[in-house]
Amino acid sequence: MGQLDGQVALVTGAARGVGRAYALRLAREGAAVGVIDLNLHGYQNPGFDEEMDADTVVEELRNLGVAAAGVEADLTDPDAVDRAVRQLAGELGDFSILVANAGGGGWGAPRPEVAEQAASNLDPEGLQRRVAGNLYATAYTVRAVAPAMKRHRYGKIVTVGSISGLLPRPDGSHADYGSAKAAIVFYTKSLAQELGPFNINVNCIALGLTTTPRISKKYADEPDTVTNIALRRLTTPEECAAVVAFLVSDEASILTGSVLEAHGGTRVPRWGPPPEPWWETDTDDALDATTGEISHASR
Ligand SMILES: NC(=O)c1ccc[n+]([C@@H]2O[C@H](COP(=O)([O-])OP(=O)(O)OC[C@H]3O[C@@H](n4cnc5c(N)ncnc54)[C@H](O)[C@@H]3O)[C@@H](O)[C@H]2O)c1
């Protein structure tokens, strides 16, 4: 008997990565699991190459002995989200658990040559994509599942934040993603206030660098990465899944509006040596090292 027997969970973005670990963990706890993802075979995309025990996570879930179903849909399209949730709830029953995991960054390590990473000069299309892919996708999914949770006077919602939405990088880069994840924290707290009277708990898990195959590969040759992490190692997807399993359990019944930081004590959401100060690389502006005054070149 699992602690989630009889429950029905929706995990977005579970075709691969950390979302897949959430889905598998909730299934091991006994929950039926629905998955919405852009591409259920996305684990095969170049750079991801995730080892699977079946053709998709949906079959992996069924192999664990639970009911499972998957739909391919773009969560930035509210109508598509409504349709997908209706279809999955029709197959599995109303959702009592939501893990709104789909989302992500886009930029990797800071690259000074990419001017559009600077907070003062964000690429409009990238900004739109980041906010839509993280904040809108989360809010649209909640919009689709909350009515049934309210009707049943029961629900557990976990949103997914990031250390990047809690602490700015020292060079200010990646602010599109960080701002979207910071907005998810505020959204989580607002949602917790609204849904509390319906016996629905809403919490956020804020990840640091987590060892999906993509991240492991990317940082394998960068041992310095962990020097800014108290535990001196990256987080595993299974460790994040353990936090989510706790948050959706009745053990966490008093938690709502909380942000659980699951990142091993990450102090700075970046890696490697600190960036060169911008005045060393921007030849148009100059810093007077004695007075600390900055003279701006005309723009
Ligand atoms: N891995 C990390 O180091 C890390 C760190 C901090 C936060 N996070 C967060 O954890 C979550 C999962 O990250 P991951 O590393 O597993 O990413 P990933 O890219 O491996 O997986 C994300 C999944 O979400 C799906 N997805 C993305 N946008 C979608 C959309 N619009 N509609 C439907 N599906 C969509 C993708 O197809 C993919 O299967 C993200 O929200 C990410 O921001 C991850």
Side-chain angles (χ1 to χ4, degrees), residues 29-208:
E29 301 290 348
V33 182
V35 172
I36 303 177
D37 202 295
L38 273 176
N39 177 3
L40 289 170
H41 291 91
Y43 65 92
Q44 296 167 340
N45 289 355
F48 291 92
D49 304 321
E50 195 151 331
E51 297 238 337
M52 303 279 283
D53 294 331
D55 184 44
T56 71
V57 68
V58 177
E59 283 81 52
E60 287 186 309
L61 292 162
R62 289 182 184 142
N63 290 343
L64 291 173
V66 299
V71 171
E72 291 184 346
D74 182 352
L75 294 158
T76 66
D77 172 351
D79 294 334
V81 180
D82 286 347
R83 280 195 300 275
V85 167
R86 259 200 313 276
Q87 182 181 327
L88 290 173
E91 285 184 52
L92 301 172
D94 286 341
F95 292 108
S96 54
I97 294 172
L98 166 64
V99 185
N101 160 79
W107 301 113
R111 285 179 291 150
E113 74 278 12
V114 182
E116 289 77 10
Q117 279 200 60
S120 63
N121 187 36
L122 288 174
D123 168 50
E125 198 202 318
L127 177 61
Q128 162 71 28
R129 243 198 337 265
R130 236 57 81 206
V131 176
N134 290 279
L135 177 65
Y136 295 0
T138 299
Y140 294 160
T141 313
V142 168
R143 191 170 160 271
V145 302
M149 289 183 176
K150 286 164 88 170
R151 240 186 357 263
H152 294 296
R153 297 286 193 274
Y154 183 89
K156 307 281 183 189
I157 297 176
V158 180
T159 60
V160 174
S162 167
I163 185 77
S164 297
L166 304 176
L167 292 171
R169 287 183 180 177
D171 64 356
S173 66
H174 219 39
D176 47 1
Y177 176 64
S179 302
K181 288 302 197 188
I184 285 181
V185 170
F186 187 84
Y187 176 70
T188 303
K189 289 174 183 285
S190 305
L191 198 61
Q193 289 300 321
E194 181 204 330
L195 298 183
F198 295 91
N199 191 32
I200 299 170
N201 301 63
V202 190
N203 294 290
C204 177
I205 175 173
L207 280 57

